[in-house]
Amino acid sequence: MRVLVINDLSCVGKCSLSVALPIISACGVTCDVLPTAILSTHTGGFEGYTFRDLTDDLPEILKHWKTLGIKFDFIYSGYLGSIRQIELVSILKQEFLAEDGKFIVDPVMGDDGKLYQGFTEGYVEKMRGLCKEADYILPNVTEACLLAEHPYPVTKENAREVLNKLAEICPFPIVTGITVENDVAVYYTKRGRGIFSFTHENVQGFFCGAGDVFASAFVGCLANGIHEAKAIYLASEFTAKTIRRSAREVDDKRYGLSFEKEILGFLDSLLFS
Ligand code: PXL
């Protein structure tokens, strides 16, 4: 089983590849990587970070992979550094996804109702196009509103409307981080046939990389043949546990989630569920 993760490498501040690699590998499957950019830290709350865009390297990497004849059972894309990278991911999916393979897009673009630094309206439009090619999309509330062209935020009351709009873009949207009273929920639908959710107690404070922990665990479950609804449940349980642990252990939330010590429990639930 081969999973390809397309994401940036933020050297400090656990997110993207530094989260996906350990979690997906721990699930017992090959995790190949395509780094989209190298940053000294992620962009969420750090000042003066470096950013090396790797767009120009990608065509050469793909050319080499073509000579190897490799195919991926899962392709999971996250933070893409430029509009050109979105186009390259689309080509990559067409050429390298195995016949029965699945394409998972985390449309990383923003949080808290705002686009991340460096992202534009044109980028949102292009990302909507990539989501149309995906089997699953995993937007947070901000990204769901941007994709569905719906006013921020997603709530318990309007979740059905937003999810149905998203289902017109991709058959299986999974929206994370919806605040429901004192809880936080993940809502999903398959082709708009019913709206389902899992809820956890909300922990104060925003952790960069929480979406990456969720998405990586979800992909790790799918790669183990776990049914999608169960995969969402296990990934949200795992993410909630890492958030609760981090609230106790991590002083500066920019440095990311303390997910490492929760991996064993997650694997236990994955293997013996
Ligand atoms: O986890 C989302 C993310 C990924 N990659 C980079 C980021 C962020 C969020 O800020 O800055 C570089």
Side-chain angles (χ1 to χ4, degrees), residues 5-271:
V5 182
I6 307 165
N7 222 328
D8 71 274
L9 182 57
S10 290
C11 302
V12 166
K14 288 174 274 183
C15 68
S16 331
L17 282 184
S18 63
V19 161
L21 250 176
I23 293 176
I24 294 172
S25 298
C27 292
V29 295
T30 298
C31 184
D32 294 321
V33 297
L34 186 61
T36 56
I38 298 181
L39 298 86
S40 51
T41 66
H42 62 68
T43 66
F46 291 103
E47 297 294 326
Y49 54 81
T50 68
F51 184 105
R52 180 164 306 276
D53 181 358
L54 296 178
T55 305
D56 289 344
D57 292 275
L58 301 190
E60 286 299 308
I61 293 173
L62 301 194
K63 204 164 124 192
H64 181 224
W65 284 357
K66 197 100 185 150
T67 68
L68 305 176
I70 45 174
K71 293 275 179 188
F72 301 100
D73 303 294
F74 292 87
I75 296 180
Y76 151 37
S77 77
Y79 186 100
L80 304 176
S82 63
I83 286 181
R84 172 82 183 121
Q85 284 192 359
I86 300 179
E87 292 164 354
L88 288 167
V89 170
S90 172
I91 293 169
L92 197 157
K93 183 239 169 178
Q94 283 155 37
E95 294 192 359
F96 291 96
L97 188 63
E99 209 172 309
D100 297 326
K102 298 289 179 208
F103 181 37
I104 299 107
V105 174
D106 183 355
V108 177
M109 294 187 287
D111 218 324
D112 236 358
K114 296 184 286 282
L115 285 170
Y116 290 133
Q117 293 181 50
F119 289 85
T120 60
E121 277 304 316
Y123 186 94
V124 176
E125 189 59 43
K126 205 77 188 172
M127 183 55 88
R128 196 178 292 114
L130 189 66
C131 288
K132 287 185 181 157
E133 298 178 38
D135 296 290
Y136 304 91
I137 54 171
L138 296 89
N140 62 24
V141 167
T142 303
E143 292 148 358
C145 290
L146 288 165
L147 290 171
E149 296 179 280
H150 191 279
Y152 178 82
V154 184
T155 61
K156 192 178 165 193
E157 287 69 34
N158 68 23
R160 179 177 299 275
E161 188 187 333
V162 176
L163 275 148
N164 284 340
K165 272 196 181 169
L166 292 174
E168 289 170 17
I169 299 171
C170 165
F172 206 126
I174 302 161
V175 181
T176 57
I178 300 176
T179 303
V180 182
E181 285 137 29
N182 291 326
D183 295 330
V184 61
V186 47
Y187 277 61
Y188 64 96
T189 182
K190 190 169 186 175
R191 294 180 210 287
R193 290 191 212 119
I195 306 292
F196 306 93
S197 66
F198 294 112
T199 303
H200 293 277
E201 187 193 346
N202 204 354
V203 174
Q204 281 306 310
F206 162 74
F207 283 95
C208 200
D212 303 328
V213 169
F214 175 82
S216 304
F218 174 70
V219 172
C221 288
L222 290 188
N224 273 275
I226 306 260
H227 186 268
E228 46 215 2
K230 183 99 192 212
I232 296 168
Y233 170 72
L234 294 177
S236 61
E237 284 282 312
F238 172 54
T239 309
K241 283 183 183 159
T242 66
I243 292 174
R244 281 201 290 274
R245 174 185 283 276
S246 309
R248 295 193 302 271
E249 291 182 356
V250 181
D251 292 330
D252 188 338
K253 295 180 168 46
R254 295 177 304 173
Y255 288 93
L257 285 168
S258 196
F259 67 88
E260 299 85 348
K261 290 195 175 65
E262 295 296 338
I263 286 185
L264 217 55
F266 168 58
L267 293 185
D268 196 45
S269 64
L270 187 159
L271 295 173

